[in-house]
């Protein structure tokens, strides 16, 4: 027997709807919030850094060290292009994904971007020992370096469809706000 939907779910609940992409600095919580949202929405999740490292058989830090940042950006671009043929995922690309011209445009429109806004000091505090896994933050002043990256990327981040200041929120609170915004 055919069943008819009794209520029209929001776009966020549609597995064939547009991708939801979380952007923001390292330490903003993209992966944690992304996993939470994917679970709540029943969508698939992809952490780009994890997927790229899995495919290349080496860490992101090793890819940067052996082949350079430009090569890593090409890997991000190629992975993004693959995601044009699927829909409805929650995606957490690395913080610099917005920097390579043409990459965002592969998916958006129709994908929607959410910017998780955080100050460099809080991001470094949240990353803790995880700073060691970020090749762009290996100098003596990771907060200063993130500040420089933020200035260069701010316009691209703020071009998102939703902006959530995550400074004083838990990842569940960030996720809940995004779920509300997506309805
Ligand atoms: C980068 C962020 C990292 C990772 C790489 C480069 C960046 O991802 O892709 O180290 O340029 O901001 P996270 O934002 O998940 O830390």
């Amino acid at each position: 027997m055919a069943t008819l939907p009794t209520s029209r779910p929001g776009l966020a609940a549609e597995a064939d709807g547009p991708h939801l992409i979380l952007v923001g600095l390292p330490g903003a919580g993209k992966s944690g919030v992304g996993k939470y949202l994917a679970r709540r929405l029943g969508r698939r999740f992809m952490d780009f850094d994890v997927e790229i490292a899995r495919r290349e058989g080496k860490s992101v830090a090793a890819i940067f060290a052996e082949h350079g940042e430009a090569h890593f950006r090409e890997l991000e671009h190629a992975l993004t292009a693959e995601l044009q043929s699927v829909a409805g995922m929650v995606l957490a690309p690395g913080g610099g994904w917005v920097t390579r011209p043409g990459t965002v445009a592969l998916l958006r429109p129709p994908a929607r971007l959410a910017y998780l806004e955080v100050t460099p000091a809080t991001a470094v505090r949240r990353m803790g020992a995880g700073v060691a896994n970020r090749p762009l933050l290996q100098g003596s002043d990771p907060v200063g370096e993130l500040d420089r990256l933020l200035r260069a990327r701010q316009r691209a981040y703020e071009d998102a469809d939703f902006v959530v200041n995550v400074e004083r929120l838990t990842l569940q609170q960030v996720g809940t706000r995004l779920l509300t915004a997506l309805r």
Side-chain angles (χ1 to χ4, degrees):
M1 188 174 72
T3 52
L4 292 171
T6 50
S7 67
R8 186 170 152 40
L11 207 52
E14 294 173 13
D16 59 350
H19 293 306
L20 173 64
I21 308 177
L22 304 179
V23 299
L25 287 176
K30 301 180 294 290
S31 302
V33 172
K35 279 182 204 156
Y36 174 82
L37 280 176
R39 209 168 43 241
R40 290 285 306 270
L41 292 166
R43 290 181 175 214
R44 287 186 297 150
F45 171 71
M46 183 185 285
D47 180 317
F48 276 39
D49 282 3
V50 171
E51 179 63 14
I52 289 170
R54 187 187 68 76
R55 291 181 180 199
E56 298 300 302
K58 57 182 88 161
S59 69
V60 169
I63 297 169
F64 268 70
E66 292 170 27
H67 308 285
E69 180 176 352
H71 178 71
F72 178 74
R73 300 291 169 221
E74 292 311 313
L75 295 174
E76 287 184 313
H77 188 82
L79 178 56
T80 307
E82 284 180 36
L83 294 167
Q84 287 177 306
S85 60
V86 292
M89 293 180 69
V90 177
L91 305 174
W97 176 78
V98 297
T99 62
R100 186 194 178 288
T103 300
V104 176
L106 288 172
L107 295 180
R108 185 199 195 208
R112 282 177 299 170
L113 259 60
Y115 170 34
L116 307 189
E117 186 181 27
V118 70
T119 57
T122 299
V124 167
R125 188 168 45 74
R126 288 188 180 180
M127 276 185 279
V131 168
N133 305 325
R134 269 67 172 204
L136 296 180
L137 304 180
Q138 294 314 297
S140 58
D141 179 17
V143 174
E145 189 51 36
L146 267 190
D147 199 48
R148 194 190 66 71
L149 291 173
L150 179 57
R151 274 175 232 243
R153 298 171 180 177
Q154 197 151 18
R155 191 173 296 187
Y157 286 156
E158 288 178 352
D159 187 44
D161 302 280
F162 313 103
V163 180
V164 182
N165 186 307
V166 304
E167 199 70 19
R168 290 185 181 78
L169 302 179
T170 64
L171 76 83
Q172 287 86 354
Q173 288 171 323
V174 176
T176 305
R177 285 192 191 196
L178 281 171
L179 287 171
T180 305
L182 285 164
R183 271 192 201 113

